[in-house]
Amino acid sequence: MMRGVLILVAASIATAALGATQRPSVVIGSKAFTESVILGDIATDLARQAGAGTAQRRELGGTRVLWDALRHADIDIYAEYTGTLAREIFSGRGVADSRPALAAALAGEGIVLGPPLGFADGYALAMRAERAGTLGIESLDDLRRHPQLVLGFSNEFMARGDGWPGLRRTYGLPQTDVRGMAHELAYRAIASGAIDVTDVYTTDPNIRAYRLALLRDDRGFFPSYAAVFLWRADLAARAPQVVAALQGFRDRIDTGAMRRMNAAVQLDGVDDRAVAADFLGLAPAAASADSLWSGLALRIRQHLFLVAASLAAAIACAIPLGVVAARRRVLGQVILAAAGMLQTIPSLALLVLMIPVLGIGGPPALLALFLYSLLPIVRNTHQGLVNIDSALSDSARALGLPPLARLRLVELPLALPSILAGIKTSAVINVGTATLAALIGAGGLGQPILTGIRLNSMPMILEGAIPAVLLALVVQGAFEMLERALVPRGMRRRRSHRAG
Amino acid sequence: MLALEGVRKTYRGSEVLHGIDLRFDPGTTVVIGSSGSGKSTLLRLLAGLELADAGRVVAGAGVLGPENLIAHRRRLGYVIQEGGLFPHLTARQNAMLMARYLGRNVGWTRRRLETLAGMTHLSAALLDRYPAELSGGERQRVALVRALMLEPEILLLDEPLGALDPLVRFELMPELAAVFETLGNIVVFVTHDLGEAAYFADRLVLMHDGAVAQSGAFEDLLERPASDFVSRFVRAQRPRREDRPAPAA
């Protein structure tokens, strides 16, 4: 068993190292929403046209992940918004929301601010075009004259400083019927007339689908979320022709074009790569030959590797830690508290915390899953050892077995059912948590779930979710069989020896 | 050779043994007393499961200390109330655990187990069962076999019959007495039952409140009690020499 563990750990390190040496010259990242994915495809096509080898890290879990990956040199390029740079990435650092200020701040991090792509994807308020026409509303100022209007905003917009609270103050809006709701529901509510006004992203394809009109922001309340590419400054040395292509890609996508591309992917189900290639006037890249099954097999393999390697390392560390915890009371409390604290960090946060150290992809996901798997095994090893009947440990001592032999021949076998139960718990939790690893580019069954959420496609979500559930059941069953094989008959029916 | 010299032991701030001097000779010494008298602590000190806070325990290996505890424990057999058999091992594996660990000759180990199983009336089929599949009496027999496997110089028993029902106990007593007789080693037998004490003892040690109240032959305690406590203790259980069950033929 110990040897198996070592092989697994070594294999995972080797795989990670191999991955690092095979890195293509230019890596393009994208966030887990359609517009970012399309812009990532466009950057990839531009780099390829410029003659560079490319790879993509698609659908990563949010601004923080992309930003850290870019600084950590896991990716070279991704599409960002100026408003996000000023308000999220440089928040609290007093960086003004202007191109020169942002460019200077980025340069300090070794990052280049690309030229404006030609559109902005910011907040705007929208009404049904027909109703806005009837009431004669064209701008936010016009809303003041209609206090009876019903406003329905996404929950995020209700809470943000640059959302409803600031908007109401800036324009002195009188409406009292203001509701928070899920963004997707807001479209249906506005179509049915349940609400009159909602918040939208300016490139949202639903604006056209629901025939909405955007209200002019004459006072400039909404910050500008102009789209730009960011890339690493060292790219100029490695791929100067790619940087030249990115620098030349200025004002090429207007709001209408972006909205049409979003609509093609999100509403018409066209593949994002085809949409990007079509926009650039290129022949669509050969569709990937992956069938559903080969793709699924690959994701299951990735998923199993994440689970098996992290679990094996956790077993190798957690059992000795559990033994130490059972032997030294004070140190034991410290170990259990530390493992417990790791468990309270939300899984996504733990994954993101790994990025500055290990970048994105397999290694940080493995480390995070490893840390997550520790507690159940440490705790159950400790419990299993501490709960051994003192008559049995006395008997082992009185036989003249030295401490390590006692541990190997008597105590660990007696604690085995408890230890196995801990490993089983870790494994099942691990199968579930590993779906989140897709957020930091580690692949696995979380990938179709992420894509499915992005495209609002239930079949695609199920393509990841069903195998993940089945895998958890298989793992659970496998450990129950293992338990039957490893725990001797004499311990299975835990009949009490004690008479009185 | 096994002796306690001025031994004191303190648990959680209260002294449970107040300076004990005892010498154990070949033959069976029964240590008797009510619960809390310190008799079990005394046995744990002899087994090297505890170290004395003052005074010394002297055994074949010399004065017991951290450096020779393991060597000392390998020269003794130890049987406790519930047998202390390991539930993950069969009776046979329990009995052979230590011989295997020490790399004893397999043939020798097998023959030794056969001899002891014969002495204690354990069949080969019983030896392949797990402790949970044995009766209480069978478990105590296996525990005795395990304790005797490596031909110990000292056999320590802590209430070995305490958890058995009376009929099984009655059956086991002559077997045990015969085994003690055959071995001719130092046997220290702890019990709270005066009947058992009278049955097994070549010499009796009556403990009271962490000290030896009186030691000597059973008749001495009965006829010449050293204190009021001794006479009350002996009378309370009203054993009579004539009641002693006869060893099985």
Side-chain angles (χ1 to χ4, degrees):
Chain A
M1 168 116 148
M2 221 49 199
R3 192 164 308 157
V5 168
L6 288 176
I7 291 170
L8 271 172
V9 174
S12 76
I13 293 167
T15 314
L18 208 65
T21 57
Q22 288 177 343
R23 189 177 177 285
S25 53
V26 180
V27 184
I28 297 96
S30 61
K31 302 188 198 183
F33 58 88
T34 295
E35 187 168 292
S36 187
V37 172
I38 294 172
L39 292 174
D41 291 336
I42 288 177
T44 306
D45 285 339
L46 290 174
R48 205 176 289 149
Q49 271 185 302
T54 59
Q56 287 193 333
R57 308 305 293 265
R58 295 158 61 86
E59 302 183 300
L60 299 172
T63 300
R64 203 74 234 171
V65 174
L66 269 296
W67 173 246
D68 284 340
L70 186 66
R71 281 198 307 175
H72 194 267
D74 280 317
I75 59 174
D76 297 307
I77 307 168
Y78 83 95
E80 191 48 281
Y81 304 94
T82 52
T84 308
L85 283 170
R87 276 166 200 80
E88 282 187 54
I89 292 174
F90 294 126
S91 85
R93 288 211 243 156
V95 176
D97 189 0
S98 71
R99 277 193 62 90
L102 289 174
L106 286 167
E109 307 273 357
I111 310 291
V112 175
L113 176 69
L117 298 182
F119 73 94
D121 182 3
Y123 277 122
L125 292 200
M127 294 182 70
R128 266 189 305 140
E130 182 194 303
R131 181 145 170 82
T134 317
L135 296 175
I137 297 176
E138 291 179 351
S139 71
L140 294 171
D141 276 305
D142 296 339
L143 287 177
R144 255 202 323 278
R145 289 183 279 111
H146 299 277
Q148 80 288 356
L149 288 176
V150 180
L151 278 42
F153 295 130
S154 67
N155 292 314
E156 192 194 351
F157 187 79
M158 289 288 280
R160 283 173 71 122
D162 56 352
W164 170 242
L167 184 71
R168 152 180 259 167
R169 259 195 320 275
T170 307
Y171 282 92
L173 296 180
Q175 284 79 9
T176 51
D177 195 349
V178 183
R179 309 165 185 180
M181 56 181 66
H183 195 58
E184 291 70 25
L185 292 180
Y187 290 115
R188 271 168 228 170
I190 206 167
S192 71
I195 59 173
D196 299 303
V197 181
T198 190
D199 60 298
V200 294
Y201 298 107
T202 46
T203 56
D204 192 326
N206 287 307
I207 293 170
R208 240 180 88 196
Y210 287 91
R211 285 196 288 279
L212 304 182
L214 301 188
L215 306 184
R216 269 198 336 270
D217 177 19
D218 291 332
R219 304 191 189 193
F221 169 74
F222 289 120
S224 161
Y225 282 81
V228 290
F229 284 127
L230 301 182
W231 61 85
R232 294 182 54 81
D234 59 22
L235 193 63
R238 284 186 285 130
Q241 71 284 16
V242 173
V243 171
L246 292 172
Q247 288 288 13
F249 196 75
R250 173 187 292 269
D251 290 333
R252 288 284 303 277
I253 310 174
D254 62 26
T255 307
M258 193 67 241
R259 214 181 281 168
R260 279 191 298 280
M261 287 194 278
N262 283 338
V265 175
Q266 250 174 303
L267 304 181
D268 306 335
V270 183
D271 183 68
D272 53 79
R273 293 178 187 84
V275 169
D278 184 53
F279 176 79
L280 292 173
L282 303 171
S288 66
D290 288 2
S291 70
L292 171 66
W293 295 112
S294 71
L296 190 62
L298 171 73
R299 283 182 220 109
I300 290 178
R301 260 203 318 279
Q302 289 172 334
H303 206 86
L304 276 178
F305 174 74
L306 286 174
V307 171
S310 59
L311 188 68
I315 293 169
C317 293
I319 293 179
L321 281 175
V323 170
V324 172
R327 289 281 174 280
R328 305 250 174 283
R329 233 152 68 82
V330 177
L331 187 58
Q333 290 310 310
V334 173
I335 290 172
L336 288 173
M341 242 152 66
L342 282 173
Q343 208 74 5
T344 64
I345 304 176
S347 17
L348 182 54
L350 189 61
L351 284 166
V352 172
L353 277 174
M354 298 295 143
I355 296 175
V357 192
L358 291 173
I360 56 171
L366 283 172
L367 181 59
L369 291 173
F370 159 77
L371 291 174
Y372 248 4
S373 306
L374 286 176
L375 179 68
I377 308 176
V378 172
R379 195 179 45 205
N380 277 36
T381 304
H382 171 261
Q383 275 304 309
L385 289 173
V386 168
N387 287 344
I388 290 175
D389 188 346
S390 65
L392 293 181
S393 38
D394 276 352
S395 290
R397 290 168 67 211
L399 282 175
L401 285 172
L404 275 179
R406 270 198 320 259
L407 191 64
R408 178 169 62 86
L409 296 171
V410 177
E411 289 160 346
L412 284 178
L414 290 178
L416 185 66
S418 173
I419 297 174
L420 282 177
I423 295 177
K424 181 169 71 181
T425 305
S426 277
V428 172
I429 292 176
N430 208 332
V431 169
T433 312
T435 55
L436 292 176
L439 287 168
I440 60 168
L445 291 168
Q447 199 63 60
I449 298 180
L450 275 184
T451 310
I453 291 172
R454 169 169 75 77
L455 297 176
N456 198 13
S457 155
M458 190 51 80
M460 194 148 234
I461 292 174
L462 292 179
E463 201 182 303
I466 290 174
V469 170
L470 292 178
L471 203 57
L473 290 175
V474 167
V475 166
Q476 168 114 7
F479 272 99
E480 263 148 34
M481 272 160 63
L482 190 69
E483 208 171 317
R484 218 154 296 158
L486 291 183
V487 176
R489 191 170 82 234
M491 287 177 69
R492 256 175 265 148
R493 283 171 302 152
R494 302 222 52 164
R495 197 201 295 169
S496 170
H497 290 203
R498 295 229 165 258
Chain B
M1 161 72 184
L2 184 64
L4 301 168
E5 297 173 1
V7 165
R8 294 176 179 275
K9 184 71 189 172
T10 301
Y11 280 127
R12 293 193 191 91
S14 66
E15 196 173 77
V16 292
L17 290 180
H18 316 297
I20 306 279
D21 290 290
L22 277 174
R23 202 188 144 79
F24 299 89
D25 297 313
T28 304
T29 303
V30 173
V31 180
I32 188 168
S34 25
S35 51
S37 63
K39 60 186 191 304
S40 283
T41 303
L42 188 145
L43 199 73
R44 292 175 64 81
L45 284 159
L46 292 176
L49 291 173
E50 312 275 355
L51 285 175
D53 296 325
R56 40 188 223 161
V57 181
V58 187
V63 176
L64 290 195
E67 70 291 343
N68 60 8
L69 278 184
I70 297 231
H72 170 66
R73 289 178 193 153
R74 287 185 188 166
R75 304 162 90 137
L76 59 86
Y78 183 64
V79 177
I80 57 176
Q81 190 172 62
E82 304 281 345
L85 295 178
F86 304 128
H88 64 295
L89 301 176
T90 62
R92 187 188 306 279
Q93 289 167 335
N94 262 286
M96 296 184 22
L97 178 69
M98 212 44 209
R100 283 217 176 124
Y101 173 74
L102 294 173
R104 287 293 172 88
N105 176 285
V106 179
W108 178 88
T109 308
R110 202 169 293 149
R111 279 193 303 280
R112 176 76 182 154
L113 179 58
E114 266 169 36
T115 310
L116 291 172
M119 265 168 90
T120 51
H121 309 290
L122 285 168
S123 68
L126 280 181
L127 286 178
D128 286 321
R129 293 199 190 157
Y130 285 95
E133 300 161 342
L134 297 171
S135 71
E138 288 161 349
R139 281 202 290 270
Q140 288 311 82
R141 287 187 173 96
V142 173
L144 185 66
V145 169
R146 182 175 73 178
L148 296 172
M149 265 309 278
L150 297 179
E151 307 178 305
E153 295 154 29
I154 301 164
L155 181 60
L156 305 174
L157 305 101
D158 192 356
E159 303 265 11
L161 307 174
L164 301 179
D165 64 59
L167 275 178
V168 176
R169 175 152 49 152
F170 187 76
E171 200 179 284
L172 211 54
M173 280 167 76
E175 278 181 36
L176 272 178
V179 169
F180 300 162
E181 199 86 16
T182 318
L183 291 172
N185 289 345
I186 299 175
V187 177
V188 182
F189 189 115
V190 166
T191 180
H192 64 275
D193 183 285
L194 199 59
E196 276 176 26
Y199 184 84
F200 288 107
D202 294 320
R203 177 169 167 248
L204 230 155
V205 175
L206 175 57
M207 299 281 297
H208 181 52
D209 280 345
V212 176
Q214 189 172 356
S215 77
F218 182 76
E219 290 78 5
D220 294 338
L221 273 72
L222 201 60
E223 289 154 21
R224 285 177 293 280
S227 67
D228 190 37
F229 169 77
V230 176
S231 73
R232 273 189 292 123
F233 187 91
V234 176
R235 269 207 313 272
Q237 299 203 14
R238 286 193 177 282
R240 287 174 52 198
R241 198 68 172 136
E242 301 79 58
D243 294 343
R244 176 175 170 171

